[in-house]
């Protein structure tokens, strides 16, 4: 999808106009016949977009008095944009000029998110797939548009990565793409390969990789924008399991088919770096992505094995399908070298998180102070990438005690999302936020602005949060 800023709608684009009320539509030059028809719909309680024919061509009209300054208003405006995307798809319209006042970019965001399609792997049926080829946004500030466009590019990149099967995107391909994105957007990317990972004694990443024919990689991203404060960085850590069979603790087939999405945390970190660097935000941020697949062969970890993480903590592996926390452990320990003021990890970590709150929000927990949580929750509200804070009491450490090692990698049937977080706490010494995105990362049906597949959850949240931090 090409996105452009235009001074007015013109050419063969379908025009979509949104105003606060009918009088504002009239002031925009809409004909009385169309306005009367629209008013009749409003009087009947019908909401949303209306198609109207006019002398200027096809029109889509809507009104909304939602405020673009509140979380609720922003969500309502994005949802209007998403609804517009549904209409365009249904009617196979490929070019739209969106004239939405006063919140053009908010409505355009909902439209762009809804109109996303992953079509790269279609062959003979490629020509039959609908895509929104051109989105023209009328009358927005050029600097604001550029920042918004960078964000949409970041979300799109994350979704493309998540939706790409492991045959096309293994660990090495993910690393190569990270290097390409760094060169394109202006952030540093360093890829550590297996020999370097072995030298760092990353037993979690190496252990999970034992069942794979493809080597692991550890991807390090660094960005310091011009004007960034000369202080400690914020580190973002993303789980990069490019495919998860469960290993020896094999998943049932109906739980495995979507496991290309188990690198959604890594995709969110990469997408955030694309957005932040392209927008030239004055922030200091580090990204860490441990990447491997989790498969099984004669050398794979088996339940009962004990591995040693890079900080010396030994882990009894009772379930090889609880592998994400093992590779994150090495990454969280590695983050200490930066003396970060905050570390946020994102991972499709537990089914327990998804069962607890479904696809509507992210499970969150950690050791960060209240001011950090308040800032994150503010960003979560404004982006509608909502967070539900779970307790992080030390009581839960009792559930991951091992008889033969320092800790074990599962805690039983109770509070699985919290015991996973408490496991990760063994590898930190800094303010920490753990985001379990298992619920919203990959959808089996359309929800709010998103269709089926990868959502890129985390990119919009973190970009908003980092933007706010840069202004604090």
């Amino acid at each position: 999808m090409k996105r452009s800023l235009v001074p007015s709608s013109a050419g063969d684009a379908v025009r979509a106009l949104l105003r606060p009320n009918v009088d504002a539509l009239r002031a925009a030059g809409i004909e009385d016949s169309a306005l009367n028809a629209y008013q009749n719909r409003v009087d009947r309680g019908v909401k949303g977009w209306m198609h109207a024919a006019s002398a200027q061509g096809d029109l889509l009209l809507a009104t909304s008095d939602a405020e673009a300054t509140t979380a609720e208003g922003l969500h309502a405006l994005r949802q209007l944009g998403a609804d517009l995307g549904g209409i365009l798809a249904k009617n196979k319209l490929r070019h739209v000029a969106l004239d939405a006042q006063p919140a053009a970019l908010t409505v355009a965001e909902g439209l762009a998110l809804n109109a996303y399609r992953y079509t790269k792997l279609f062959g003979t049926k490629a020509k039959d797939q609908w895509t929104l080829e051109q989105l023209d946004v009328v009358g927005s500030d050029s600097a604001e548009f550029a920042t918004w466009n960078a964000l949409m590019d970041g979300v799109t990149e994350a979704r493309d990565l998540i939706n790409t099967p492991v045959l096309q995107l293994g660990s090495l391909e993910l690393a190569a793409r990270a290097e390409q994105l760094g060169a394109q957007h202006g952030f540093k990317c360093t890829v550590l390969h297996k020999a370097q990972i072995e030298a760092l004694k990353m037993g979690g990443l190496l252990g999970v990789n034992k069942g794979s024919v493809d080597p692991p990689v550890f991807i390090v991203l660094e960005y310091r924008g011009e004007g960034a404060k000369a202080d400690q960085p914020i580190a973002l850590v993303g789980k990069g399991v490019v495919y998860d069979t469960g290993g020896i603790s094999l998943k049932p087939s109906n739980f495995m088919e979507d496991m290309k999405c188990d690198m959604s945390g890594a995709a969110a970190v990469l997408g955030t770096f694309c957005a932040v660097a392209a927008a030239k935000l004055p922030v200091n941020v580090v990204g860490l992505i441990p990447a491997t697949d989790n498969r099984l062969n004669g050398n794979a970890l088996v339940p009962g094995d004990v591995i040693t993480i890079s900080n010396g903590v030994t882990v009894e592996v009772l379930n090889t399908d609880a592998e994400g926390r093992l590779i994150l452990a090495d990454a969280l320990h590695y983050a200490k070298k930066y003396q970060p003021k905050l570390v946020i990890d994102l991972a499709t970590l537990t089914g327990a998180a998804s069962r607890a709150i479904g696809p509507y929000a992210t499970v969150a927990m950690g050791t960060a102070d209240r001011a950090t949580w308040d800032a994150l929750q503010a960003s979560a509200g404004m982006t509608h990438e909502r967070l539900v804070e779970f307790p992080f009491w030390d009581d839960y450490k009792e559930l991951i005690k091992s008889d033969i090692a320092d800790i074990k990698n599962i805690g039983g049937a109770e509070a699985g999302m919290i015991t996973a977080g408490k496991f990760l706490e063994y590898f930190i010494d800094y303010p920490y936020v753990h985001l379990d995105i298992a619920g919203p990362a990959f959808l089996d049906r359309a929800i709010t602005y998103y269709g089926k597949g990868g959502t890129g959850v985390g990119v919009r949240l973190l970009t908003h949060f980092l933007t706010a931090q840069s202004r604090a």
Side-chain angles (χ1 to χ4, degrees):
M1 181 196 308
K2 183 179 179 182
R3 298 177 292 271
S4 300
L5 178 67
V6 297
S8 62
S9 55
D12 60 354
V14 174
R15 295 174 64 208
L17 277 81
L18 175 70
R19 293 292 187 271
N21 50 53
V22 173
D23 288 340
L25 285 175
R26 180 175 288 108
I30 303 304
E31 299 167 3
D32 286 343
S33 58
L35 291 175
N36 291 337
Y38 185 81
Q39 187 63 61
N40 286 337
R41 292 174 86 250
V42 173
D43 293 342
R44 298 196 311 271
V46 180
K47 298 181 179 180
W49 296 90
M50 183 194 83
H51 175 264
S54 75
Q56 294 90 7
D58 285 348
L59 290 172
L60 289 163
L61 305 176
T63 57
S64 173
D65 60 359
E67 296 286 341
T69 56
T70 67
E72 295 79 8
L74 288 167
H75 174 55
L77 290 165
R78 283 192 214 98
Q79 191 61 59
L80 269 172
D83 295 343
L84 175 59
I87 294 169
L88 297 175
K90 181 179 179 180
N91 292 279
K92 299 189 182 302
L93 301 170
R94 298 176 182 269
H95 185 184
V96 64
L98 175 64
D99 185 352
Q101 295 182 9
L105 293 179
T106 303
V107 180
E109 185 172 318
L111 170 55
L113 293 172
N114 178 272
Y116 168 87
R117 298 291 187 275
Y118 182 76
T119 59
K120 295 182 179 181
L121 299 181
F122 281 102
T124 58
K125 293 185 178 181
K127 64 181 183 301
D128 301 325
Q129 306 307 309
W130 175 83
T131 58
L132 183 60
E133 296 173 356
Q134 178 74 34
L135 167 56
D136 296 331
V137 181
V138 177
S140 256
D141 175 87
S142 59
E144 290 183 357
F145 179 84
T147 299
W148 172 83
N149 200 42
L151 175 62
M152 292 297 98
D153 283 345
V155 175
T156 299
E157 180 64 38
R159 297 175 83 176
D160 281 350
L161 289 170
I162 296 163
N163 287 324
T164 302
V166 68
L167 189 61
Q168 286 77 27
L169 191 76
S171 56
L172 294 176
E173 290 80 10
L174 179 64
R177 182 58 179 160
E179 290 176 321
Q180 292 171 356
L181 292 170
Q184 177 182 342
H185 294 288
F187 58 86
K188 182 181 177 182
C189 176
T190 305
V191 178
L192 307 184
H193 292 279
K194 189 172 184 178
Q196 295 161 293
I197 294 168
E198 289 173 335
L200 291 167
K201 299 181 179 180
M202 291 185 170
L205 181 54
L206 292 166
V208 174
N209 183 253
K210 282 174 66 66
S212 176
V213 297
D214 297 324
V217 294
F218 191 83
I219 303 167
V220 181
L221 314 175
E222 296 172 284
Y223 172 76
R224 182 189 285 272
E226 184 178 349
K229 297 175 183 177
D231 59 1
Q232 302 159 285
I234 294 175
L236 309 178
V237 179
K239 173 185 170 184
V241 176
V242 292
Y243 194 84
D244 184 16
T245 69
I248 295 294
S249 305
L250 191 66
K251 294 178 184 288
S253 60
N254 60 319
F255 284 90
M256 199 189 300
E257 58 193 21
D258 294 332
M259 282 297 102
K260 63 184 180 182
C261 79
D262 215 17
M263 42 68 70
S264 294
V269 171
L270 276 167
T272 301
F273 266 76
C274 291
V276 166
K280 297 180 171 27
L281 287 184
V283 293
N284 182 13
V285 60
V286 171
L288 304 175
I289 299 172
T292 179
D293 54 347
N294 182 28
R295 303 205 199 202
L296 60 163
N297 68 19
N299 292 321
L301 286 177
V302 298
D305 276 343
V306 174
I307 62 174
T308 303
I309 307 300
S310 45
N311 69 340
V313 171
T314 58
V315 178
E316 182 184 13
V317 179
L318 294 182
N319 188 325
T320 64
D321 195 22
E323 85 298 330
R325 65 202 69 182
L326 302 179
I327 71 172
L328 287 174
D330 283 320
L332 292 172
H333 176 61
Y334 188 89
K336 295 172 186 174
K337 67 178 288 187
Y338 295 97
Q339 297 182 314
K341 62 182 179 182
L342 175 67
V343 173
I344 303 173
D345 81 47
L346 303 94
T348 45
L349 206 62
T350 67
S354 182
R355 288 189 294 272
I357 58 176
Y360 304 106
T362 290
V363 164
M365 64 194 77
T367 64
D369 61 21
R370 192 64 245 167
T372 299
W373 279 111
D374 289 345
L376 271 171
Q377 286 289 12
S379 292
M382 297 301 269
T383 59
H384 203 69
E385 293 198 342
R386 296 173 292 184
L387 304 177
V388 179
E389 294 176 50
F390 275 61
F392 209 55
W393 305 321
D394 281 345
D395 308 61
Y396 292 102
K397 285 185 175 180
E398 295 293 319
L399 300 177
I400 54 173
K401 284 185 174 179
S402 167
D403 293 331
I404 65 169
D406 294 330
I407 50 175
K408 57 187 180 181
N409 78 324
I410 56 172
E414 298 174 333
M417 75 294 282
I418 302 176
T419 54
K422 295 304 285 187
F423 176 95
L424 296 173
E425 191 182 16
Y426 277 88
F427 309 98
I428 67 169
D429 66 357
Y430 38 69
Y432 171 60
V433 170
H434 167 55
L435 302 180
D436 192 333
I437 59 174
F442 196 89
L443 303 179
D444 61 5
R445 64 191 187 280
I447 296 177
T448 60
Y449 329 130
Y450 300 102
K452 293 173 64 175
T455 63
V457 67
V459 177
R460 293 167 53 246
L461 166 68
L462 292 177
T463 302
H464 191 283
F465 173 74
L466 291 169
T467 300
Q469 292 296 299
S470 73
R471 297 170 179 168

